[in-house]
Amino acid sequence: MSEQQISVLVVDDEPVIRAGLVAILDSQSDLTVVGTAGDGEEAVEASARLRPQVLLLDIRMPRRNGLWALAELGRRGLLGPGRSQVLMLTTFDLDEYVDDALGDGAAGFLLKNSSYEELTGAVRAAAAGHSALSPAVTRRIIEGHLSTRSGADDQDLARLSDLTERERGVLRLVGDGLSNAEIADRLVVSLHTVKTHVSRMLAKTGCQSRAQAAVLARNTLA
C-alpha cells in the first residue's frame, strides 16, 4: 500500500451492501479496503488487527450493533486523531442515535444511498481529519439534533476552560462546519497553524473528532 492510500474497513451485515461499498471504494486509486465485517464484534476485532484509517460502520446490525462497536473502539483506544475515524452508515436519519454516536467520537454520518461522490469524499475527509462535516447529511442531522437540546451544561463548559482565545475561535469555526482551509482564510493564517490549533483544541476538550467538537461548540459557544 502506498503512503497516499487510505485504508478502509467496511462493516455491514448485508453482504450485497458490503460488496457494493467495497467495489466503489476499491475503484479509487487512493482508497483501499483492507477488510470487511458483518457485525460489531467482528468490526472491533478487525480494527484492532488491521488499524484502518477509516471505518464505514453500519448502525443497525445483529449481535452487537454499530454504536456498541464505536464505544468499544473508544474504550480500547483505537479511535480518534492518528488512529481510526468512523463514519456511521444508516438507511435513514436516525436522530435518536446521534447523541450517543457523536459523544463516542463518530466523525460523521452517511446514508447508504449517498452518491458515489459523497461516499468517497466523506472517506477522504474523515481520513484527513479536517472536513468530516462536509457531507450534507452530517450537517443536517447535527443541526436537527442540536435544535432539540436545551443548552450547555457545566461539564461541557468545563471542557473549554484550558482553551486559549484563538483555540476557542477555532472551535467556533469548526462548529460552523468550516474546513481547515476555510478557517485559515477566515483567520488569515497558514494552514499549518490552523492544523496545530485544531489538534490542540481537540486534545484539550477531549474530543475524538471534528463532529464531536462541532456539537460541543454549538452547545457552548452559540
Side-chain angles (χ1 to χ4, degrees):
M1 187 185 304
S2 70
E3 292 182 358
Q4 291 74 32
Q5 289 180 307
I6 297 168
S7 58
V8 185
L9 176 68
V10 176
V11 185
D12 195 292
D13 64 308
E14 299 183 47
V16 172
I17 292 178
R18 272 203 315 272
L21 292 170
V22 169
I24 292 172
L25 296 171
D26 272 344
S27 71
Q28 302 294 293
S29 61
D30 61 331
L31 305 179
T32 299
V33 177
V34 293
T36 63
D39 63 45
E41 290 185 2
E42 291 180 3
V44 173
E45 292 171 2
S47 294
R49 184 176 71 255
L50 300 170
R51 301 300 175 96
Q53 291 170 265
V54 179
L55 278 81
L56 289 179
L57 183 59
D58 189 17
I59 290 180
R60 287 186 167 178
M61 294 182 292
R63 290 208 300 168
R64 299 289 194 177
N65 64 23
L67 294 177
W68 177 89
L70 178 66
E72 184 66 17
L73 289 168
R75 283 191 289 269
R76 296 193 184 191
L78 299 173
L79 190 66
R83 300 180 180 86
S84 294
Q85 296 288 340
V86 175
L87 291 170
M88 305 302 292
L89 287 170
T90 180
T91 53
F92 46 91
D93 295 1
L94 298 173
D95 291 341
E96 66 269 28
Y97 296 150
V98 172
D99 189 44
D100 287 341
L102 292 179
D104 285 334
F109 292 80
L110 276 173
L111 298 180
K112 291 185 181 181
N113 63 355
S114 294
S115 70
Y116 179 100
E117 291 79 11
E118 285 176 330
L119 172 62
T120 56
V123 169
R124 293 184 180 104
H130 61 72
S131 57
L133 285 177
S134 59
V137 63
T138 300
R139 190 171 300 180
R140 186 176 72 251
I141 291 175
I142 291 175
E143 290 289 347
H145 172 66
L146 290 174
S147 68
T148 66
R149 292 180 65 97
S150 57
D153 57 28
D154 291 341
Q155 187 174 5
D156 280 342
L157 291 171
R159 296 168 68 183
L160 308 186
S161 60
D162 291 335
L163 296 181
T164 65
E165 284 302 312
R166 176 48 61 92
E167 288 163 356
R168 280 177 177 259
V170 169
L171 175 60
R172 187 186 300 276
L173 294 175
V174 168
D176 290 337
L178 273 65
S179 68
N180 281 357
E182 291 168 331
I183 293 173
D185 287 342
R186 181 74 61 87
L187 299 180
V188 195
V189 296
S190 71
L191 186 59
H192 175 75
T193 297
V194 172
K195 290 180 179 180
T196 299
H197 287 319
V198 170
S199 177
R200 289 175 178 170
M201 176 272 292
L202 291 174
K204 289 181 179 181
T205 58
C207 292
Q208 295 174 314
S209 71
R210 289 177 73 98
Q212 194 177 15
V215 171
L216 178 64
R218 301 301 290 272
N219 284 340
T220 58
L221 300 177

